[in-house]
């Protein structure tokens, strides 16, 4: 480690020397030799890393001491003259004298210091060349590391794409026109699998069991969505037939008025979704930045079952967004069609969000990777709780908005 001493003095800059290097470890950590220099104003010192052998550092320190011996006394004389000029500069007729005196002092300083500066300049250039070489090596090492990192990431991405291709085999048509997923849904299985598919998926039996599990999950989700949509539609029909009892006008946040019934949900006690939030078995992840898996699922505390002016029933929730650089909040209604709302309650996508940008790097069908022993009871529990909340509107008085 070296101490880089830099001057902001114009006279030293005119001499062609603006920096000097001192290696404290070669002087036993002693900086007393620099005391005469460091007392001057417009001096800065910083630590720099300079790779060098002990003999080089000792020689460079010796050259610095020779230069300093001449520089310190010359600087002291120069500053004495400049101080005298500053004290007399406001007196009448002293400006011309001051400029002439300063020029003479500067010339005398250069005559005295330039030989010492010329003698030290090769040392300074050698040290700075060593620093530049070290910096170039550091930059190149960083570039090599980056190239290697990108190479590994591309290889990992290629492995992931190959994995995706194997996953998509369930949806590629077989001879005869049907896909393996469609055959599984019909309860069929070919007598023999094409050679290309065998080569793609490897263990066909294990792969086929995963296809069957995905079909089971998909059926459970479809059944849950149908159950919720039917409950919402039946509730809307019953309320309409009864003359819309308990219908309210909601005009708070947002300001736009809506006519409907608040439906309140209780989602506590749902099966744990943690098993969903993991990397699918066998999926390569080397191309992914740090992040987390999310399975989604829209579970609001309440929704508004509303009757639109056209007579069509739908659903709405209150959403908000920051405006005016976060100084204010704007509220608005987010409308849902009945079937779309029912689909949102049961998650069907597994997404990987990076931590630093929260962008979605990977999206996968959740039904293809979730364990049916977990996913099927989860979809059923969501459907039962949502159905109970809507049916409660026709069996009990409508609850007011708690806000």
């Amino acid at each position: 480690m070296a101490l880089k001493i830099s001057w902001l003095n114009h006279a030293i800059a005119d001499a062609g020397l603006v920096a000097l290097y001192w290696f404290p470890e070669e002087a036993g950590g002693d900086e007393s030799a620099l005391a005469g220099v460091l007392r001057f104003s417009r001096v800065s010192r910083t630590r720099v890393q300079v790779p060098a052998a002990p003999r080089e550092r000792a020689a460079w320190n010796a050259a610095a001491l020779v230069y300093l011996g001449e520089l310190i006394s010359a600087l002291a004389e120069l500053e004495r003259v400049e101080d005298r000029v500053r004290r007399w500069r406001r007196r009448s007729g002293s400006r011309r004298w001051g400029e002439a005196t300063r020029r003479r002092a500067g010339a005398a300083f250069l005559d005295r210091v330039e030989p010492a500066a010329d003698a030290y300049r090769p040392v300074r250039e050698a040290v700075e060349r060593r620093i530049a070489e070290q910096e170039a090596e550091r930059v190149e090492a960083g570039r090599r590391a980056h190239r290697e990192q990108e190479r590994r990431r591309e290889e990992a991405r290629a492995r992931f794409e190959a994995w995706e291709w194997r996953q998509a085999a369930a949806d590629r048509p077989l001879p005869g026109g049907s896909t393996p997923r469609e055959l599984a849904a019909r309860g069929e299985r070919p007598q023999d699998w094409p050679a290309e598919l065998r080569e793609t998926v490897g263990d066909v039996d294990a792969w086929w069991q995963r296809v069957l599990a995905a079909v089971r999950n998909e059926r459970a989700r479809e059944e849950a969505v149908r159950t919720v949509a039917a409950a919402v539609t039946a509730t809307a029909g019953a309320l309409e037939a009864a003359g819309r009892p308990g219908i309210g006008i909601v005009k708070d946040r947002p300001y736009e008025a809506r006519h409907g019934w608040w439906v309140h949900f209780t989602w506590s006690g749902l099966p744990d979704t943690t098993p969903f939030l993991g990397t699918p078995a066998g999926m390569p992840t080397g191309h992914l930045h740090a992040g987390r898996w999310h399975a989604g699922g829209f579970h609001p505390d309440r929704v508004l079952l509303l009757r639109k002016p056209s007579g069509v029933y739908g659903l709405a929730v209150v959403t908000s967004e920051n405006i005016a650089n976060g100084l204010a909040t704007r509220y608005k209604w987010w409308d849902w069609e009945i079937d779309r709302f029912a689909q949102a309650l049961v998650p069907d996508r597994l997404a990987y969000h990076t931590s630093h940008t929260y962008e979605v790097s990977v999206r996968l069908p959740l039904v293809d990777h979730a364990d049916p022993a977990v996913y099927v009871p989860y979809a059923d529990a969501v459907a039962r709780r949502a159905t109970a909340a809507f049916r409660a509107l026709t069996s009990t008085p409508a609850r007011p908005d708690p806000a």
Side-chain angles (χ1 to χ4, degrees):
M1 186 68 70
L3 183 65
K4 179 182 179 181
I5 304 170
S6 302
W7 285 271
L8 304 178
N9 188 294
H10 66 89
I12 298 179
D14 291 342
L17 188 81
V18 294
L20 177 143
Y21 296 88
W22 177 257
F23 295 83
E25 63 268 28
E26 294 303 320
D30 185 19
E31 296 184 9
S32 60
L34 309 178
V37 175
L38 301 181
R39 70 177 178 83
F40 289 96
S41 60
R42 293 175 293 176
V43 174
S44 68
R45 49 182 176 175
T46 56
R47 298 283 179 178
V48 293
Q49 189 72 36
V50 183
R55 283 191 298 177
E56 287 180 307
R57 293 195 296 265
W60 291 341
N61 269 7
L65 287 176
V66 172
Y67 173 71
L68 287 172
E70 195 65 33
L71 178 65
I72 291 172
S73 59
L75 273 175
E77 180 60 29
L78 180 63
E79 288 202 348
R80 279 195 297 271
V81 173
E82 290 182 340
D83 287 343
R84 188 165 64 251
V85 169
R86 278 194 294 270
R87 288 197 301 270
W88 287 80
R89 65 184 176 180
R90 292 187 179 181
R91 297 196 177 189
S92 176
S94 64
R95 181 175 181 180
R96 185 177 299 174
W97 167 85
E99 291 297 328
T101 302
R102 184 180 286 110
R103 283 196 299 271
R104 287 194 299 272
F109 176 83
L110 290 177
D111 290 341
R112 185 174 178 181
V113 171
E114 278 184 339
D118 289 340
Y120 183 74
R121 186 172 291 107
V123 173
R124 176 176 63 107
E125 292 174 350
V127 173
E128 291 178 347
R129 184 166 53 251
R130 194 70 57 83
I131 294 174
E133 291 172 354
Q134 177 183 249
E135 177 63 15
E137 291 176 0
R138 185 192 67 81
V139 171
E140 181 57 29
R143 289 173 178 167
R144 287 196 301 269
H146 177 71
R147 288 194 294 267
E148 177 63 17
Q149 183 183 43
E150 288 302 305
R151 185 190 66 81
R152 292 180 179 179
R153 191 180 300 280
E154 287 304 315
E155 289 181 351
R157 187 180 300 278
R159 290 193 295 270
F160 172 73
E161 290 174 353
W163 179 84
E164 277 191 313
W165 176 256
R166 290 194 296 273
Q167 299 300 308
D171 297 301
R172 287 196 289 272
L174 299 171
S178 297
T179 67
R181 193 185 301 271
E182 291 170 345
L183 293 176
R186 296 198 299 264
E188 302 175 8
R189 174 174 176 167
Q191 293 294 326
D192 192 21
W193 297 102
E196 181 182 356
L197 185 139
R198 289 180 174 277
E199 182 179 351
T200 299
V201 303
D203 187 343
V204 175
D205 292 334
W207 166 81
W208 179 245
Q209 291 303 314
R210 289 195 296 272
V211 174
L212 294 175
V215 168
R216 184 180 172 191
N217 287 337
E218 194 168 4
R219 284 176 175 168
R221 182 174 184 274
E222 291 173 352
E223 179 61 28
V225 170
R226 282 195 299 268
T227 299
V228 174
V232 177
T233 302
T235 299
L239 292 172
E240 184 71 16
R244 305 170 204 161
I247 192 170
I249 301 176
V250 181
K251 187 179 181 181
D252 181 12
R253 296 188 308 182
Y255 184 75
E256 178 188 358
R258 294 294 179 94
H259 295 74
W261 300 262
W262 281 113
V263 183
H264 301 266
F265 299 95
T266 300
W267 302 110
S268 60
L270 286 177
D272 184 19
T273 60
T274 302
F276 300 163
L277 306 179
T279 303
M283 173 185 160
T285 59
H287 66 296
L288 297 177
H289 295 288
R292 296 180 59 188
W293 289 99
H294 295 265
F298 176 63
H299 295 154
D301 295 330
R302 60 176 184 168
V303 298
L304 185 69
L305 176 62
L306 57 89
R307 184 182 187 277
K308 300 178 182 180
S310 63
V312 176
Y313 278 81
L315 299 154
V317 296
V318 177
T319 63
S320 64
E321 61 180 344
N322 292 328
I323 58 175
N325 293 326
L327 299 177
T329 302
R330 177 167 56 197
Y331 296 89
K332 61 181 180 180
W333 289 107
W334 185 4
D335 292 313
W336 293 81
E337 295 180 353
I338 293 176
D339 187 64
R340 182 68 187 88
F341 171 80
Q343 291 182 28
L345 294 180
V346 187
D348 67 335
R349 287 287 166 180
L350 186 63
Y352 187 83
H353 297 258
T354 58
S355 299
H356 58 295
T357 63
Y358 208 67
E359 67 176 1
V360 179
S361 300
V362 175
R363 279 192 176 90
L364 302 171
L366 180 58
V367 294
D368 284 0
H369 304 286
D371 183 355
V374 178
Y375 188 84
V376 172
Y378 177 82
D380 179 66
V382 169
R384 283 188 284 105
R385 281 166 174 73
T387 299
F390 281 101
R391 288 176 176 169
L393 282 181
T394 58
S395 59
T396 60
R399 292 168 56 189
D401 178 7

